[in-house]
Amino acid sequence: MTNIEKPMTLLLIEDNEFEVNSFKEYLKNINDAQLIKYTNSSYDGIEYVKTYMPEGIILDLELHNGEGSGIKFLEELQELNLDFKPLIVITTNVSSDIVYDHIRKLGADFIFYKKQSDYAPEIVINSMLALRETLYTSRNNIHTCKVTDETPIEKENIIKEKINNELDLVGISNHLKGRKYLLDAIFYLVDNKDKDHSSVFYYLSSKYKIGNSSISRAMQTAINYAWRISAIEDLMLHYKARINHETGVPTPTEFIYYYAEKILKTL
């Protein structure tokens, strides 16, 4: 659940330069919301959601002068299975009830018709701020109820999806053998949070029938690869544990314990 005492973080997906500038100008003059990114591409918008996890999204439905469409963005957003769904506001020149019903089913919370007389960026943003706490509290309660109904298999899949998403964000490539060891190790720590964690490498060794040293080397290779190819800004954003200044990269043990703790906080 978001901290409503901090400014609401917003992503703007809009292809009209005048609209973009209008939103930016209004946001400069208020303290309770901030624009973290803007784009005219629904595809870039999805990547920004995964990277920055905005609390609110202002989405132009058409994007004629950009890439993709608002509907495409909503469809792809549903596939992400985010821990917490951002507040989604649609801005559009379309006034079709059929279209409105469709985008509501895809997750849109509010729809603003751009051609109505009182439409303005401040109306959009102020509406989002006014309903921020109520909507987020409601969603958090719904999420809590769903968690209690999860089967063990569903819970395992959810945890592994969270771990895979974190590994993707720092660039741990799927083609590296060490990735599956990191995934299994983090899941083991999360799933056995009340037990002795010293057996994690023994568990991996028994599962894959290879020695601890081979597993550790493969993990370290995957981590080294990510720290070599990924942008330092992305690494600093997603991996916030301390790193030995001499090596410049985390050890496998540091890495798996950091992410186990991070995932546990989301459950």
Side-chain angles (χ1 to χ4, degrees), residues 129-145:
L129 290 170
L131 292 169
R132 183 187 187 193
E133 181 177 6
T134 301
L135 187 61
Y136 279 24
T137 300
S138 173
R139 283 183 178 158
N140 188 61
N141 290 337
I142 291 172
H143 176 72
T144 301
C145 292

Side-chain angles (χ1 to χ4, degrees), residues 12-163:
L12 174 63
I13 305 174
E14 171 63 66
D15 67 336
N16 183 293
E17 188 174 349
F18 176 79
E19 289 273 326
V20 172
N21 289 333
S22 296
F23 276 105
K24 289 169 67 177
E25 284 300 315
Y26 180 70
L27 286 165
K28 283 181 182 178
N29 299 316
I30 63 175
N31 297 321
D32 42 5
Q34 66 179 76
L35 184 64
I36 54 172
K37 278 289 181 180
Y38 65 91
T39 179
N40 65 357
S41 165
S42 65
Y43 308 112
D44 287 345
I46 289 294
E47 294 305 311
Y48 290 149
V49 169
K50 292 191 288 187
T51 301
Y52 297 100
M53 299 297 290
E55 297 173 46
I57 299 171
I58 304 167
L59 174 65
D60 177 27
L61 193 63
E62 289 80 47
L63 298 176
H64 295 309
N65 298 317
E67 293 183 310
S69 70
I71 289 178
K72 181 66 175 176
F73 175 87
L74 292 171
E75 291 172 342
E76 293 187 5
L77 187 67
Q78 284 191 327
E79 295 176 3
L80 293 183
N81 292 319
L82 298 173
D83 293 336
F84 194 87
K85 179 179 174 291
L87 176 63
I88 303 173
V89 169
I90 302 295
T91 62
T92 179
N93 289 307
V94 173
S95 60
S96 164
D97 288 337
I98 294 175
V99 173
Y100 286 6
D101 288 341
H102 181 58
I103 59 180
R104 286 192 180 100
K105 290 177 182 177
L106 289 175
D109 293 300
F110 304 101
I111 302 169
F112 285 90
Y113 181 46
K114 290 183 177 181
K115 293 181 180 179
Q116 68 185 52
S117 59
D118 61 345
Y119 172 80
E122 52 265 39
I123 299 295
V124 175
I125 294 169
N126 290 341
S127 297
M128 296 174 80
L129 290 170
L131 292 169
R132 183 187 187 193
E133 181 177 6
T134 301
L135 187 61
Y136 279 24
T137 300
S138 173
R139 283 183 178 158
N140 188 61
N141 290 337
I142 291 172
H143 176 72
T144 301
C145 292
K146 287 182 178 178
V147 169
T148 61
D149 295 331
E150 290 168 1
T151 66
I153 295 298
E154 288 172 336
K155 183 177 181 180
E156 177 178 336
N157 290 336
I158 289 171
I159 294 171
K160 288 186 174 179
E161 186 172 348
K162 290 175 183 286
I163 298 170

